[in-house]
């Protein structure tokens, strides 16, 4: 029954009882059992008592209703708090709330993964010990209007974060609640990219400076001590030419890399005939390979479908891989190029296998880094720039592909990758 109708019923009952008592008193008075005054007193006392009872019940009902409203509000607050906690857990960045005693009041999942699962309730300085952190937190907790501060924090595992320390506005009813928040923004990859850029500039400058220093040295010798040595002139000019050509190759490779990086997110849209491209590249490179007695052999099945690629970039991939094989392979050996439909439908699988000395395991993962060489002196002697495989890697990335390198010392090396078929025939 609804509370209103319940109240009405109880009132009705009280009225009925009052009427019944008044009627009984009137009856008793009429038959002379009680005096008129006694009747009035009995009726008045009964009326007041019933009125008191009714008011009491009414008050109890109002009190019950107030308690129900309060409980509903509290339930709503609890739900809101737990929704907020869940939302914070969805944040991929670590987030902490710190109370006025420097204890961690709230830590989302990312923060617990970073600093430890049991951090809530502990002093934050156990985890963030840097003095500038302690100072920033102190300033924020002592002055809620303090400016927010951003502090670089690096973990023992070399992850770096920019941590924002900011005051959290206090509610009057929440005197002991959280007073500062720490928001961690990960900058590890940005720092690595910055470092890579700096290393690249340093490496490129070093690679260019080496031949340049050599050329300048020979110029000085030709102007000075060897000015009249005609026989030395020819020899020195020959070396200078080789060094200058190395610089040109290096600059060409650097420009290629930057052009490839600029097109990284532009999908290749040419339909390329692999058989033709491989045959042309092999015949262009064969004369140079023959100088070392190396034979380039290709095995391409007829009817190979066209691939979706950038023809010029793909030619560069084959030139780099085939000329590496010709450079580093033993004399009088063979290099094999194969192309065949891959197990994965819609792709062509390509390999370039040599019978060279092979590359030991520890170098394989780093070969596609810019300027990484197994034997720098040998690479330079062979005219290498240290950028050939980096160029291959970036071209293949643009083609949604990757370079796989397998090698066995004394047996040779195989470079493999796949390319997407231009049109898949579903018929
Ligand atoms: P480089 O201009 O020095 O050849 P690359 O990026 O093309 O630069 O190759 C990186 C290094 O990988 C080379 O210096 C060489 O040590 C090694 N390498 C590449 N291809 C082969 C190969 N087919 N056999 C043995 N070593 C190779």
């Amino acid at each position: 029954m609804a509370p209103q109708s319940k109240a009405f019923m109880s009132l009705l009952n009280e009225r009925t009882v009052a009427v019944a008592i008044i009627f009984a008193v009137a009856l008793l008075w009429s038959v002379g059992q009680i005096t008129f005054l006694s009747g009035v007193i009995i009726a008045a006392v009964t009326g007041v008592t019933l009125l008191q009872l009714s008011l009491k019940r009414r008050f109890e009902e109002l009190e019950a209703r107030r308690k129900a409203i309060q409980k509903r509000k509290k339930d709503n607050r609890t739900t809101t708090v737990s929704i907020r906690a869940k939302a914070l857990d969805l944040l991929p960045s670590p987030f902490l709330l710190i109370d006025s005693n420097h204890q961690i009041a709230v830590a989302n999942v990312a923060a617990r993964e970073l600093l430890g699962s049991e951090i809530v309730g502990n002093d934050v300085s156990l985890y963030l010990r840097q003095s500038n952190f302690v100072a920033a937190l102190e300033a924020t907790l002592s002055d809620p209007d303090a400016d927010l501060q951003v502090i670089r924090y690096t973990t023992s595992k070399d992850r770096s974060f920019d941590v924002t320390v900011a005051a959290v506005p206090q509610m009057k009813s929440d005197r002991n609640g959280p007073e500062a928040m720490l928001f961690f923004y990960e900058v590890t990859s940005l720092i690595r990219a910055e470092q890579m850029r700096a290393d690249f500039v340093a490496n490129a400058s070093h690679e260019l400076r080496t031949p340049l220093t050599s050329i300048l040295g020979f110029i000085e010798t030709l102007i000075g001590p060897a000015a009249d040595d005609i026989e030395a002139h020819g020899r020195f000019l020959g070396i200078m030419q080789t060094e200058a050509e190395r610089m040109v190759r290096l600059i060409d490779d650097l420009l290629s890399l930057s052009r490839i990086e600029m097109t990284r997110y532009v999908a290749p849209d040419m339909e390329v005939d692999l058989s033709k491209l491989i045959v042309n590249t092999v015949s262009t490179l064969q004369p140079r390979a023959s100088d070392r007695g190396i034979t380039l052999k290709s095995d391409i099945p007829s009817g190979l479908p066209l691939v979706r690629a950038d023809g010029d970039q793909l030619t560069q991939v084959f030139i780099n891989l085939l000329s590496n094989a010709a450079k580093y392979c033993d004399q009088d050996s063979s290099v094999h190029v194969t192309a065949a439909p891959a197990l994965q439908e819609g792709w062509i699988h390509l390999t370039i296998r040599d019978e060279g000395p092979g590359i030991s395991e520890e170098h394989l993962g780093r070969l596609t880094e810019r300027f990484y060489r197994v034997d720098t002196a040998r690479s330079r002697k062979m005219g290498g720039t240290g950028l050939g495989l980096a160029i291959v890697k970036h071209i293949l990335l643009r083609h949604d592909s990757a370079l796989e390198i397998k090698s066995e010392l004394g047996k040779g090396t195989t470079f493999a990758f796949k390319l997407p078929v231009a049109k898949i025939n579903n018929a």
Side-chain angles (χ1 to χ4, degrees):
M1 197 184 291
Q4 292 94 330
S5 30
K6 231 169 158 182
F8 175 75
M9 282 310 288
S10 60
L11 210 63
L12 190 73
N13 288 345
E14 276 145 16
R15 266 195 205 141
T16 316
V17 172
V19 170
I21 288 173
I22 288 166
F23 183 74
V25 167
L27 194 69
L28 288 172
W29 171 68
S30 66
V31 293
Q33 289 295 312
I34 54 168
T35 63
F36 178 73
L37 187 62
S38 318
V40 169
I41 291 170
I42 290 169
V45 169
T46 310
V48 168
T49 309
L50 287 173
L51 191 66
Q52 262 181 344
L53 273 175
S54 163
L55 284 175
K56 191 175 167 228
R57 201 180 344 264
R58 191 102 188 108
F59 176 76
E60 280 170 358
E61 278 164 12
L62 284 174
E63 183 62 11
R65 213 177 298 168
R66 191 185 62 80
K67 278 188 179 155
I69 291 170
Q70 241 176 10
K71 184 173 177 304
R72 217 174 310 141
K73 274 190 186 161
K74 198 176 160 205
D75 288 350
N76 282 348
R77 249 204 316 270
T78 314
T79 315
T80 312
V81 167
S82 80
I83 288 172
R84 279 190 195 147
K86 276 185 194 147
L88 282 177
D89 282 346
L90 289 176
L91 261 186
S93 299
F95 176 88
L96 296 177
L97 286 178
I98 312 296
D99 69 18
S100 49
N101 300 319
H102 292 215
Q103 283 177 347
I104 299 173
V106 173
N108 70 350
V109 170
R112 294 198 297 272
E113 278 170 6
L114 180 74
L115 303 171
S117 53
E118 305 290 334
I119 57 175
V120 174
N122 291 340
D123 197 301
V124 66
S125 63
L126 287 175
Y127 309 99
L128 305 171
R129 293 161 194 254
Q130 276 171 228
S131 57
N132 50 354
F133 252 124
V134 178
L137 203 58
E138 197 61 63
T140 307
L141 290 176
S142 58
D143 175 11
D145 296 323
D147 288 340
L148 52 83
Q149 302 193 45
V150 180
I151 292 168
R152 177 67 54 87
Y153 164 65
T154 304
T155 69
S156 55
K157 289 183 182 153
D158 255 2
R159 284 177 75 188
S160 296
F161 296 85
D162 277 348
V163 184
T164 303
V165 183
V168 176
Q170 280 285 82
M171 283 194 290
K172 276 193 187 118
S173 59
D174 203 10
R175 280 274 166 242
N176 295 316
E179 295 200 358
M181 66 144 228
L182 303 186
F183 180 77
F184 294 62
Y185 177 70
E186 182 146 22
V187 290
T188 313
S189 50
L190 285 177
I191 290 176
R192 281 201 192 131
E194 251 169 53
Q195 187 60 48
M196 271 169 69
R197 253 196 305 276
D199 288 350
F200 177 66
V201 172
N203 282 332
S205 314
H206 174 74
E207 293 290 333
L208 283 169
R209 181 171 278 279
T210 311
L212 198 58
T213 309
S214 158
I215 291 171
L216 285 172
F218 283 113
I219 291 175
E220 265 175 37
T221 315
L222 286 172
I223 293 173
D228 301 322
D229 185 346
I230 301 301
E231 187 265 325
H233 282 192
R235 206 157 26 92
F236 290 170
L237 284 172
I239 300 172
M240 285 164 71
Q241 185 179 7
T242 310
E243 294 297 320
E245 281 168 1
R246 186 142 77 93
M247 287 177 72
V248 170
R249 268 199 309 279
L250 192 63
I251 289 165
D252 284 347
D253 278 358
L254 286 171
L255 289 174
S256 280
L257 253 185
S258 103
R259 268 196 301 270
I260 294 159
E261 278 183 344
M262 277 194 298
T263 58
R264 165 73 181 91
Y265 297 103
V266 182
D269 58 0
M270 288 159 75
E271 296 191 351
V272 178
D273 183 341
L274 266 180
S275 317
K276 221 192 240 174
L277 187 143
I278 292 171
V279 168
N280 286 345
T281 315
V282 164
S283 52
T284 310
L285 294 179
Q286 184 58 67
R288 246 171 62 201
S290 300
D291 292 346
R292 301 189 63 238
I294 292 168
T295 313
L296 306 179
K297 295 179 177 171
S298 57
D299 177 12
I300 320 287
S302 59
L304 203 64
L306 302 177
V307 291
R308 181 160 309 284
D310 177 318
D312 291 341
Q313 289 191 349
L314 205 52
T315 306
Q316 175 133 37
V317 166
F318 283 101
I319 290 179
N320 288 9
L321 294 176
L322 286 170
S323 48
N324 269 356
K327 265 189 317 200
Y328 300 111
C329 269
D330 304 332
Q331 293 202 335
D332 306 318
S333 62
S334 301
V335 179
H336 307 264
V337 186
T338 67
L343 288 178
Q344 190 185 354
E345 204 205 342
W347 292 82
I348 302 292
H349 187 249
L350 296 116
T351 62
I352 288 141
R353 179 173 64 81
D354 64 51
E355 297 164 352
I359 305 165
S360 61
E361 179 81 32
E362 75 262 25
H363 298 295
L364 292 182
R366 299 196 59 192
L367 281 185
T368 54
E369 284 177 21
R370 290 154 206 221
F371 300 113
Y372 188 86
R373 289 131 157 157
V374 177
D375 179 344
T376 307
R378 174 141 196 245
S379 156
R380 289 217 175 110
K381 197 168 146 238
M382 305 297 287
T385 60
L387 293 173
L389 292 182
I391 290 174
V392 170
K393 169 186 157 173
H394 284 275
I395 292 177
L396 292 180
L397 273 178
R398 190 187 162 207
H399 289 74
D400 276 340
S401 184
L403 184 67
E404 237 183 85
I405 311 173
K406 286 193 182 133
S407 191
E408 215 178 316
L409 284 177
K411 293 212 165 152
T413 307
T414 303
F415 294 86
F417 57 95
K418 56 184 185 139
L419 289 170
V421 168
K423 284 190 193 110
I424 302 176
N425 189 1
N426 288 323

